[in-house]
Amino acid sequence: MRLTVFGTGYLGATHAACMAELGHDVVGVDVDPGKVAKLSDGVTPFFEPGLEPVLRRNLDAGRLRFTTSYPEAAAHADVHFLGVGTPQKKGEYAADLKYVHAVVDSLAPLLERPSVIIGKSTVPVGTARDLGVRARAAASVDVEVAWNPEFLREGFAVKDTLRPDRLVLGVDGARERADWVAEQVREIYAELLAAEIPFLLTDLATAELVKVSANAFLATKISFINAVSEVCEATGADVTVLADALGYDARIGRRFLNAGLGFGGGCLPKDIRAFMARSGELGADHAVAFLREVDNINMRRRTKVVDMAARAVGGSLLGANVAVLGAAFKPESDDVRDSPALNVAGMIQLHGAVVTVYDPKAVDNSRRVFPTLNYATSVAEACDRADVVLVLTEWDEFTALGPEDLNPVVRTRSIIDGRNCLERARWRRGGWVYAGLGTP
């Protein structure tokens, strides 16, 4: 099939490349000429394992190209995916839909044949219905709006697109062409359906709520174990063993029960806040009031690590030399949006410390956000004469470290494990002062 994908950020570029990998003729569209030029050369403007080979293979095969031209995109296909960002509004919890509106307002008047716009972005419930009204008011032909939420994990985005856990499609059942929309999507994902990926056909509101509900649940699970870790710290209990014990319960499971610095990135924090904002607009804010505490618990972990760093250097960070290993919000990503690691590094610097950060992939992005921090090109350089070392992103390079690796370079043998990812007994045997979150 001939498809377009509007937006070539993390979601859009991945979706465009993977739709071409499924054999479709795909045009990716973006208003940023720099992004379009990079992608056209087979270079992703962000780090995502496995994506560049898929991108280059399909560019070479002629199944994929990128453009800034909306008229070209409108003429290319009748099925248009919407993958632009929905960031948090400045000074508010609500999602900013200006990029979504811009695509629909620009695309709809250019359509010359009956078409469908399929949303991938995470949006407040009710957005798809409103976009349908908006698109049909601007178009001279019949336009349908459907919603097909993404469930991508950074670091696993290609796998999650080509072999997802499930496919969800929301359609407006009151529209005469609702069945046609579903048929188009089934044809797009024919290979996935043949592989028996579950396909759920829903109304628009349910499809919108599935993604934000999934993120809210995961955020709640992470904050739950971090709340328990606070109790563990007060009692001397071990949250890692406790989580293992909980994980054997099939009703609970072990995934996302890792206590530590908490969640960040471009999805979970802003999505749960937008969920709270939209629920308030609908008069159902009481139903998700618990998410405010979920958010509070998560943010409290960051200040906890700053306090731990201060204690590790004698009570005051003023003049201390602090090494921070990790800047991305998670491993296998260069994403520093709302990164707990980078946030902690910045707060420690504001307390007067000299902070040196090293991350295998996220240094360039970090420098753009926090240019005043020092940045290193290796673990050894970051830890040179450090008074305390903080491990804040669980990259394999860091979890493989042992005391013997850092003994020659640090000034004080003190390490804070912000992700509970190190073998603490090994570090203590090596003569280090080890501190984790929720662990004795």
Side-chain angles (χ1 to χ4, degrees):
M1 290 182 67
R2 295 161 69 90
L3 312 173
T4 66
V5 179
F6 285 83
T8 62
Y10 182 82
L11 166 59
T14 302
H15 193 67
C18 289
M19 291 303 96
E21 184 77 355
L22 291 175
H24 301 299
D25 183 356
V26 182
V27 172
V29 191
D30 204 291
V31 296
D32 184 342
K35 280 186 184 179
V36 167
K38 271 191 171 183
L39 289 163
S40 297
D41 288 337
V43 179
T44 55
F46 50 86
F47 174 70
E48 175 59 35
L51 181 57
E52 281 199 357
V54 175
L55 176 68
R56 291 173 182 162
R57 181 162 57 247
N58 288 283
L59 287 168
D60 292 343
R63 289 189 296 266
L64 177 63
R65 66 183 189 275
F66 295 91
T67 183
T68 58
S69 171
Y70 270 60
E72 177 187 347
H76 175 73
D78 301 331
V79 178
H80 307 279
F81 282 100
L82 181 58
V84 295
T86 53
Q88 187 175 335
K89 285 184 179 178
K90 290 184 178 180
E92 299 181 36
Y93 271 14
D96 189 342
L97 298 177
K98 63 183 177 185
Y99 303 113
V100 173
H101 291 157
V103 170
V104 172
D105 292 345
S106 299
L107 174 63
L110 299 172
L111 298 174
E112 298 179 351
R113 303 177 303 277
S115 303
V116 58
I117 299 172
I118 303 174
K120 298 292 297 180
S121 307
T122 305
V123 294
V125 61
T127 300
R129 178 199 61 212
D130 294 343
L131 287 178
V133 173
R134 192 180 189 115
R136 286 186 282 274
S140 59
V141 296
D142 186 29
V143 182
E144 305 299 329
V145 171
W147 222 258
N148 172 218
E150 56 85 13
F151 301 99
L152 304 187
R153 299 166 296 164
E154 293 196 31
F156 302 91
V158 172
K159 175 182 179 295
D160 288 345
T161 304
L162 296 177
R163 286 296 181 269
D165 294 329
R166 73 287 205 198
L167 290 165
V168 176
L169 176 66
V171 299
D172 185 347
R175 300 283 299 172
E176 290 183 5
R177 293 172 64 85
D179 289 342
W180 174 80
V181 172
E183 288 170 8
Q184 297 300 301
V185 174
R186 285 192 174 97
E187 185 175 347
I188 292 168
Y189 294 129
E191 181 179 315
L192 280 61
L193 297 178
E196 299 185 345
I197 303 298
F199 181 81
L200 291 85
L201 184 63
T202 76
D203 57 83
L204 291 172
T206 300
E208 292 168 312
L209 281 169
V210 166
K211 174 59 189 293
V212 71
S213 298
N215 278 354
F217 182 84
L218 296 177
T220 301
K221 193 170 183 181
I222 294 166
S223 283
F224 168 80
I225 198 62
N226 279 331
V228 172
S229 77
E230 294 184 17
V231 179
C232 289
E233 289 160 7
T235 60
D238 189 333
V239 75
T240 59
V241 178
L242 185 151
D244 288 341
L246 288 177
Y248 284 110
D249 189 327
R251 299 168 300 173
I252 299 172
R254 183 62 176 82
R255 296 184 66 191
F256 289 88
L257 276 183
N258 293 318
L261 189 51
F263 58 82
C267 292
L268 261 63
K270 63 100 175 172
D271 286 352
I272 66 170
R273 292 163 191 162
F275 194 15
M276 284 188 279
R278 182 61 179 144
S279 298
E281 293 168 358
L282 295 168
D285 49 318
H286 58 283
V288 295
F290 70 95
L291 288 177
R292 189 173 297 276
E293 184 57 23
V294 166
D295 203 5
N296 287 337
I297 291 168
N298 188 57
M299 299 304 293
R300 199 158 62 230
R301 293 285 81 188
R302 305 181 186 191
T303 55
K304 169 70 175 180
V305 171
V306 175
D307 293 342
M308 291 170 68
R311 288 198 300 272
V313 297
S316 173
L317 286 164
L318 186 63
N321 195 10
V322 178
V324 171
L325 301 183
F329 86 97
K330 63 177 288 186
E332 301 301 331
S333 172
D334 63 353
D335 194 344
V336 298
R337 291 175 294 174
D338 203 1
S339 167
L342 198 56
N343 188 201
V344 167
M347 286 193 287
I348 289 174
Q349 184 190 51
L350 288 174
H351 281 76
V354 177
V355 182
T356 304
V357 178
Y358 169 67
D359 188 284
K361 294 293 180 181
V363 165
D364 289 343
N365 287 342
S366 302
R367 190 178 279 114
R368 284 190 280 270
V369 177
F370 273 104
T372 58
L373 295 170
N374 298 320
Y375 293 95
T377 58
S378 68
V379 170
E381 182 185 350
C383 296
D384 184 39
R385 292 173 297 157
D387 295 305
V388 62
V389 176
L390 279 63
V391 177
L392 302 184
T393 309
E394 60 272 42
W395 285 95
D396 289 345
E397 180 179 353
F398 304 152
T399 60
L401 287 172
E404 64 281 359
D405 298 310
L406 300 187
N407 285 342
V409 294
V410 298
R411 184 156 56 196
T412 306
R413 295 181 181 182
S414 177
I415 194 162
I416 294 173
D417 184 0
R419 294 294 181 181
N420 290 344
C421 61
L422 303 176
E423 189 180 339
R424 60 187 167 200
R426 179 184 180 188
W427 286 89
R428 285 171 175 162
R429 285 195 306 269
W432 282 64
V433 176
Y434 170 96
L437 289 165
T439 61

